[in-house]
């Protein structure tokens, strides 16, 4: 198989991100419910914070009640984050602490097959392609499905596709 100008070794396969990694999207607790934000201790990232490369802090926080009563979820350390909406669409970062995100962020979960830095650089190399796939007039969006279908992983061996979270 040829990828770009270079021929890959025969025992390598080119895979879509969704074939080798699980993904998920964050969520936003109801803004009108102050109980979900005031005194919050759970880091909650917005898509604008993804462009940091290595993400090691959050400016925003939610409460446990906000997490429990929304589609927000906590992503583990080394999750690769991809911003999906608006001006930040296509930005990529690596989460260096546990944090939740809003729905404008797709998380690519770490696993035993690929190191997070490889996923980060693979997605970064596809940033222009991802942005070109954005749809919408007022606010261009990249869907989680488009992140899953991004070709960017070259792995040795056969690798087993994993179930993806399409929520």
């Amino acid at each position: 198989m040829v990828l770009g100008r270079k021929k890959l070794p025969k025992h390598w396969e080119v895979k879509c991100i969704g074939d080798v990694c699980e993904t998920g999207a964050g969520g936003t607790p109801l803004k009108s419910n102050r109980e979900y934000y005031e005194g919050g201790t759970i880091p909650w990232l917005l898509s604008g914070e993804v462009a940091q490369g290595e993400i090691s802090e959050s400016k925003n926080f939610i409460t446990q009640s906000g997490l429990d009563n929304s589609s927000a979820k906590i992503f583990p350390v080394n999750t690769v984050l991809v911003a999906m909406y608006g001006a930040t669409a296509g930005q990529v970062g690596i989460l260096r602490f546990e944090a939740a995100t809003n729905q404008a962020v797709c998380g690519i979960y770490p696993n035993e097959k690929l190191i997070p830095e490889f996923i980060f650089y693979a997605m970064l190399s596809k940033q222009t392609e991802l942005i070109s796939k954005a749809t919408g007039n007022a606010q261009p969006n990249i869907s989680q499905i488009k992140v899953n279908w991004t070709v960017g992983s070259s792995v040795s061996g056969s690798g087993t596709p994993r179930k993806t979270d399409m929520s």
Side-chain angles (χ1 to χ4, degrees):
M1 163 149 309
V2 176
L3 185 63
R5 292 185 186 149
K6 297 185 180 191
K7 191 171 183 179
L8 294 176
K10 290 182 182 185
H11 65 283
W12 282 32
E13 294 180 39
V14 175
K15 300 274 190 175
C16 293
I17 291 297
D19 289 337
V20 292
C21 297
E22 291 185 44
T23 63
T28 299
L30 189 62
K31 293 269 189 179
S32 62
N33 191 335
R34 297 171 71 175
E35 171 188 328
Y36 295 163
Y37 296 93
E38 287 182 1
T41 58
I42 299 168
W44 183 65
L45 297 167
L46 307 178
S47 61
E49 296 174 271
V50 171
Q52 298 176 30
E54 288 201 358
I55 305 165
S56 57
E57 63 182 357
S58 177
K59 297 174 186 163
N60 302 289
F61 296 87
I62 59 174
T63 64
Q64 186 64 50
S65 181
L67 182 70
D68 293 342
N69 293 293
S70 71
S71 58
K73 62 180 71 72
I74 296 179
F75 288 107
V77 172
N78 291 328
T79 299
V80 174
L81 301 178
V82 180
M84 297 190 294
Y85 299 170
T88 60
Q91 297 292 324
V92 182
I94 300 177
L95 193 56
R96 296 303 190 190
F97 65 108
E98 289 186 343
T101 69
N102 70 3
Q103 69 277 8
V105 178
C106 176
I108 304 171
Y109 289 95
N111 65 41
E112 67 286 346
K113 294 179 185 177
L114 300 171
I115 62 171
E117 292 78 9
F118 179 85
I119 299 168
F120 170 78
Y121 286 112
M123 294 306 292
L124 198 59
S125 75
K126 299 294 184 173
Q127 192 173 43
T128 302
E129 179 184 324
L130 265 176
I131 293 168
S132 73
K133 293 179 181 179
T135 58
N137 293 329
Q139 182 173 329
N141 297 321
I142 300 168
S143 70
Q144 184 178 339
I145 293 170
K146 289 177 182 172
V147 172
N148 281 332
W149 282 98
T150 299
V151 175
S153 301
S154 301
V155 294
S156 63
S158 61
T160 304
R162 296 181 67 177
K163 179 179 175 275
T164 57
D165 174 11
M166 302 304 276
S167 60

